Amino acid sequence: MSKKHLSASEIDGVQYRRAKLWQIICYACNGLVGMSVYSLIGMASYSASIGYGITTAAVGIILTCSRILDAITDPLLAFVYDRVNTRFGKLRILLVAGYLIEAAALYGMFTGFSSKGLGLPVFALLYVGYVIGYTVTNMTAQTIPAIMTNDPTQRPTIGVWTTAFNYLVPMAMSMLMNVVLLPKFGGQYNQAFLSAACAITLVVAAVGTLLVCLGVSSYDKPETFLGTKKSEPLKMGDIIEVLMHNKPLQCYIASNASDKLAQQVASQAIINTLFNGIIIGNMGLATILTVISMVPAIFFAAFGARYVGKHGSKKGIVTWTYVSMAITVVLVVFFLSIDPTRIGVIGSSEMIINTVLNLLLNGSNMCITTSNTSYMADAIDFELDRSGRYIPAVVSGTYSLVDKLITSFAAVIATGAVALLGYTTTMPQPTDPCTTSIFWMAMFLKFGLPIIGWIITLVAMRGCPLTKEEMVHVQKRIAEKKAAARAELFAEQLK
């Protein structure tokens, strides 16, 4: 007789709620929104330079200031989130509204007002509009995983699907932009190319928004957002209180913000141009190789999810951070040992080794991302247990406030780095010659910054109390408190 497979509810003694697979997949389609726009906004420096005549230094300042504004608006959205309750729900209204604001601003930035001699004020205003729309969409989406399920074995599954979309979408967009679209416009980032890229992005994001709305429709109702205590209107002090007393959130901020700063610097279009176009010397092939090394790595996310389900979110972050650091060190040694232009030669041993190493690194990074998705949902539940209030937008907004204040320097670091290389009035192009200074700057931004971020992660997670065992206790206490609150309400109604 085969041994019965016990569910997480049976093992932990907690009645967990679970989402259907199709709902998880639809939610993960948020990657069609966030990551397609992420791919487009990475070319904002080119839009500012080509469409509005703004210098490299000014672009960096604008993008940094806008990012700081983005950070400030994140926790403020918690107040909007708390008060939106319509016949069509809360989540769907915010998701659609955010997309419409974002789409209008991006269209104006890349197409409607671009190359019309309008200059810095108009570009800055449109970028602010994009930031507001992105905030509404992204912050709302961040609250959904904790709402859909609290099963510790299923939460990593959401991470698998979101990781897959978050990697596949920018990869597909990069292929479309750099391999298909860019050659059609002479291999240069010009106004016609930017307009075409914008149109494609807005269509992809619209489809993603509709699918996410479909996936969350059964959860988008008032009873979903109840806590274990009587609900009170949010105050600004609530944000400070959460930041000061939610220890797991503090650890997550230090860990993820440092990693994201490195990731966002490396993903800037101008840094990809330095690395793929100038150092490797073959922008199209380098993009294809990135895709080849990324697609198989997505399967690592499923393995990472099983690991997190067994060992917990914190353990998953720590373990895969160590692995990513080790692989990155090997990549650095590899680049120092070869002629990087050999990577751009089809069939060369350098091309194959580079692809394999990047496959392993991408796979490990996907496991970290899967762990992070589960961890944020855990931090939201930790706050419910700690304070008695179900305030997912406050938790995610507080994280985003500090995270974006830190990562706001990504654009300034990237543009500042290329300015140090001599690109003060123009942007790097794939046809530029490779110099020693370009090589070392690109190596530091591509590999050095991530290693620094991972060291910060390991230090931060040493003080995190949110182990797998502690999360079981958290869920038990939440269930007991909710049962007591229902009994108290029932008793009051009988009086």
Side-chain angles (χ1 to χ4, degrees):
M1 181 181 293
S2 61
K3 185 177 179 180
K4 180 185 176 183
H5 177 71
L6 298 178
S7 66
S9 295
E10 293 170 321
I11 293 172
D12 297 338
V14 180
Q15 187 57 51
Y16 294 118
R17 63 182 180 277
R18 292 177 59 86
K20 295 180 175 64
L21 180 60
W22 70 266
Q23 293 172 321
I24 292 175
I25 295 173
C26 281
Y27 164 71
C29 287
N30 182 61
L32 295 173
V33 187
M35 300 313 296
S36 63
V37 170
Y38 183 74
S39 299
L40 179 66
I41 209 65
M43 294 183 281
S45 299
Y46 286 100
S47 179
S49 176
I50 295 168
Y52 299 86
I54 304 173
T55 64
T56 304
V59 170
I61 294 171
I62 292 171
L63 298 187
T64 298
C65 292
S66 299
R67 184 75 176 174
I68 293 172
L69 172 65
D70 190 11
I72 295 171
T73 57
D74 279 350
L76 294 180
L77 178 69
F79 296 93
V80 178
Y81 186 99
D82 188 54
R83 288 165 173 76
V84 171
N85 290 292
T86 74
R87 56 180 292 203
F88 301 107
K90 177 196 300 280
L91 302 172
R92 289 167 292 178
I93 292 295
L94 290 171
L95 288 169
V96 172
Y99 167 75
L100 292 176
I101 296 170
E102 194 173 35
L106 290 172
Y107 176 80
M109 187 191 309
F110 284 89
T111 302
F113 298 102
S114 187
S115 295
K116 292 182 171 54
L118 298 176
L120 188 150
V122 172
F123 178 83
L125 185 62
L126 290 170
Y127 202 94
V128 168
Y130 149 73
V131 165
I132 293 172
Y134 172 82
T135 296
V136 176
T137 299
N138 186 57
M139 288 301 304
T140 302
Q142 283 188 27
T143 68
I144 295 174
I147 292 171
M148 295 181 76
T149 177
N150 65 345
D151 188 320
T153 62
Q154 190 178 53
R155 275 185 171 169
T157 301
I158 297 180
V160 171
W161 285 99
T162 55
T163 298
F165 275 87
N166 286 345
Y167 277 88
L168 280 173
V169 172
M171 192 165 50
M173 294 295 287
S174 180
M175 284 285 291
L176 181 59
M177 302 300 181
N178 294 322
V179 179
V180 179
L181 208 58
L182 192 60
K184 294 182 181 297
F185 296 94
Q188 296 283 324
Y189 290 96
N190 52 39
Q191 180 57 56
F193 167 78
L194 294 173
S195 295
C198 179
I200 292 170
T201 298
L202 296 186
V203 171
V204 172
V207 173
T209 300
L210 293 176
L211 290 172
V212 176
C213 289
L214 176 64
V216 303
S217 58
S218 63
Y219 301 94
D220 201 5
K221 47 193 177 184
E223 55 266 33
T224 299
F225 305 93
L226 296 177
T228 61
K229 292 182 179 179
K230 185 176 180 181
S231 178
E232 298 177 0
L234 286 177
K235 305 181 292 295
M236 185 60 69
D238 293 328
I239 295 173
I240 299 174
E241 202 271 341
V242 167
L243 182 59
M244 293 296 293
H245 296 97
N246 191 317
K247 179 68 172 178
L249 181 61
Q250 295 171 359
C251 297
Y252 185 70
I253 288 171
S255 165
N256 208 34
S258 57
D259 291 351
K260 283 181 65 178
L261 175 61
Q263 177 191 17
Q264 291 188 15
V265 170
S267 66
Q268 295 289 313
I270 52 178
I271 305 305
N272 282 325
T273 300
L274 290 180
F275 197 80
N276 294 331
I278 299 177
I279 293 178
I280 295 178
N282 191 331
M283 193 81 168
L285 180 60
T287 302
I288 294 172
L289 292 178
T290 299
V291 173
I292 292 173
S293 66
M294 189 74 75
V295 174
I298 292 174
F299 294 102
F300 281 68
F303 177 78
R306 288 196 296 271
Y307 186 89
V308 171
K310 183 177 181 180
H311 299 284
S313 305
K314 173 188 171 180
K315 182 71 172 177
I317 292 173
V318 171
T319 299
W320 296 109
T321 293
Y322 274 119
V323 174
S324 291
M325 284 182 66
I327 298 171
T328 302
V329 169
V330 173
L331 266 169
V332 171
V333 174
F334 172 68
F335 265 84
L336 294 177
S337 306
I338 65 166
D339 173 7
T341 60
R342 292 285 302 165
I343 295 174
V345 178
I346 296 177
S348 67
S349 59
E350 290 85 353
M351 185 198 82
I352 295 171
I353 293 172
N354 179 70
T355 302
V356 171
L357 287 174
N358 276 288
L359 187 155
L360 295 174
L361 180 60
N362 292 332
S364 180
N365 286 341
M366 286 178 187
C367 291
I368 295 176
T369 304
T370 300
S371 303
N372 282 335
T373 302
S374 178
Y375 187 101
M376 175 52 79
D378 289 349
I380 290 172
D381 284 347
F382 179 90
E383 181 60 30
L384 173 58
D385 175 42
R386 188 191 70 83
S387 67
R389 302 182 69 183
Y390 191 64
I391 45 177
V394 172
V395 176
S396 58
T398 302
Y399 155 70
S400 291
L401 169 63
V402 183
D403 169 73
K404 289 179 180 177
L405 285 175
I406 296 172
T407 57
S408 63
F409 293 98
V412 128
I413 291 172
T415 54
V418 298
L420 288 174
L421 295 172
Y423 295 98
T424 54
T425 57
T426 60
M427 291 292 178
Q429 292 291 346
T431 53
D432 294 346
C434 181
T435 64
T436 301
S437 57
I438 286 177
F439 175 82
W440 283 108
M441 183 66 77
M443 289 293 290
F444 173 72
L445 297 176
K446 196 76 172 179
F447 299 130
L449 279 182
I451 290 175
I452 294 172
W454 288 324
I455 291 172
I456 294 173
T457 291
L458 295 175
V459 173
M461 283 297 159
R462 289 184 64 181
C464 176
L466 210 58
T467 61
K468 177 177 172 57
E469 294 74 22
E470 176 59 20
M471 272 310 300
V472 173
H473 296 315
V474 166
Q475 297 297 351
K476 285 182 177 179
R477 289 193 294 266
I478 290 173
E480 291 168 358
K481 291 174 183 177
K482 284 191 172 183
R486 285 193 296 267
E488 182 180 349
L489 179 61
F490 182 69
E492 289 179 357
Q493 292 174 341
L494 290 178
K495 291 181 181 179

